[in-house]
Amino acid sequence: MIPTLSWTPEGVRFLDQTKLPLEESYVLATTYEEVAAVIVAMVVRGAPAIGVSAAYGIALGAKNTKARTAQEFAPEFERICVWLAATRPTAVNLFWAIHRMQAVFKTLLATGASIVQIQRRILAEAHTMYAEDIAACKAMGAHGADLMPDEGGVLTHCNAGALASCGYGMALGVIRSAVERGKKIHVYADETRPFLQGARLTAWELMADHIPTTVICDNMAASLMRQGKIQAVVVGADRIAANGDTANKIGTYSVAILAREHGIPFYVAAPWSTIDLATATGDQIPIEERPAKEVTHHAGKQVTPDGVGICNPGFDVTPAKYIAAIVTERGVLRAPYAKALKKMELAADQV
Ligand code: MRU
């Protein structure tokens, strides 16, 4: 399994995704501030992986505290949460993980838990989130594999794989599961300018699994679709609004439009922690603006003239109408998504 992130006695160990595919090296974060820095630097990225990283960051904050009582720790706990929440704005999994930890801490505070009990319980919750994430990916894979063609090309954008999660992956989990069932899939990975998650990360992890993969520049997708090389598209998500509008890596929206034009199904695979029922539509999803240098420079070399205007949104929103199905660990949802999402949420509440 790809060791995206793991808890060790010394701290949280991250596979450095900024160095892939040329170098497999690790970064050890021993404080919550270091975990936040690792998220900001994109050493770890991808919505579910960011959420679990923040949970472990809080566990590190609890481990390192000098507070002697829960009451003394309470304001520090809030500062830790605020610090981690300020790292990246779009992936809702980050806030989902922090809120979940806040709920755990609230109960511990109310029941008069000791600092040692708090440290143990918070770490246990982070471990649970980690395990749940892998289980969710496996379940998404099982649900989504049915949607994949028995044979043919599947296009994906960015990296919604093991590297974006605690293992197995979302969009790539669906592909992995389909391949495990004997489907003959050839993956086309958009390079995903400017950060190249597709070229560097998706290609790296699919090659490791011996899944046939071809990297294409983002501007080649339409042409390949027209040539009949793509039978389905599957991508991940950073936040899915209550009406099904989906924020994902910049460029996803154009792929969805191209797929519609060519009569190709466009699927989204994401865990329930990516669904944000408190956000009504995609218009309200905050979109991260990334550093201009990601656009002005390529492989360390400046590629634009000094002083030119630069726009670098990290994500875009694909309107729900372009999405053929949303694959979650709870099952496959079809339009109308507002109704389907609400129904699935209610069903889970009743379990
Ligand atoms: O900026 P990144 O690399 O964190 O963006 C990641 C994506 O957009 C992924 O597609 C998304 O997190 C999918 S994982 C369900």
Side-chain angles (χ1 to χ4, degrees), residues 42 45-48 88 158-160 164 170 197 236-238 248-249 315:
M42 307 269 277
R45 30 66 51 203
R88 297 193 69 193
C158 193
N159 172 267
M170 291 67 53
Q197 288 94 330
D238 289 84
N248 192 48
K249 181 52 53 195
F315 303 91

Side-chain angles (χ1 to χ4, degrees), residues 71-301:
Q71 277 73 17
E72 214 179 302
F73 182 48
E76 187 183 345
F77 178 85
E78 269 320 299
R79 277 199 302 279
I80 294 168
C81 292
V82 169
W83 190 277
L84 286 159
T87 50
R88 297 193 69 193
T90 303
V92 76
N93 308 62
L94 172 69
F95 308 100
W96 167 87
I98 292 170
H99 290 154
R100 185 160 155 176
M101 285 304 205
Q102 284 169 324
V104 168
F105 183 68
K106 200 173 158 196
T107 309
L108 288 165
L109 205 54
T111 53
S114 69
I115 280 291
V116 173
Q117 285 168 327
I118 287 171
Q119 288 166 333
R120 283 197 190 132
R121 179 68 188 85
I122 283 180
L123 179 57
E125 190 70 12
H127 285 328
T128 302
M129 287 187 205
Y130 182 96
E132 281 176 5
D133 185 65
I134 296 174
C137 287
K138 289 278 168 88
M140 271 179 269
H143 293 306
D146 292 336
L147 303 172
M148 294 292 100
D150 290 337
E151 191 166 354
V154 175
L155 178 71
T156 189
H157 190 76
C158 193
N159 172 267
L163 289 166
S165 63
C166 298
Y168 205 69
M170 291 67 53
L172 300 193
V174 167
I175 290 170
R176 282 194 169 95
S177 177
V179 170
E180 282 161 17
R181 287 190 197 175
K183 295 194 175 194
K184 292 185 174 41
I185 289 175
H186 189 105
V187 179
Y188 288 91
D190 273 347
E191 66 169 347
T192 319
R193 270 283 286 158
F195 208 72
L196 305 180
Q197 288 94 330
R200 296 187 304 105
L201 310 177
T202 294
W204 181 78
E205 67 167 271
L206 291 177
M207 294 281 289
D209 275 0
H210 307 288
I211 296 175
T213 304
T214 298
V215 172
I216 61 168
C217 298
D218 299 331
N219 52 5
M220 297 171 186
S223 174
L224 262 70
M225 287 181 182
R226 195 173 163 87
Q227 290 169 46
K229 291 191 172 158
I230 313 285
Q231 276 60 53
V233 177
V234 60
V235 299
D238 289 84
R239 192 185 292 232
I240 300 175
N243 70 343
D245 289 353
T246 293
N248 192 48
K249 181 52 53 195
I250 190 76
T252 304
Y253 177 31
S254 28
V255 175
I257 294 171
L258 294 177
R260 168 63 53 87
E261 174 64 21
H262 292 86
I264 297 166
F266 176 92
Y267 301 115
V268 171
W272 203 258
S273 52
T274 303
I275 287 157
D276 180 10
L277 295 178
T279 294
T281 73
D283 292 342
Q284 286 98 53
I285 297 177
I287 301 294
E288 175 183 6
E289 185 66 25
R290 305 265 325 146
K293 200 168 176 200
E294 289 178 355
V295 177
T296 58
H297 288 64
H298 189 64
K301 219 175 145 198

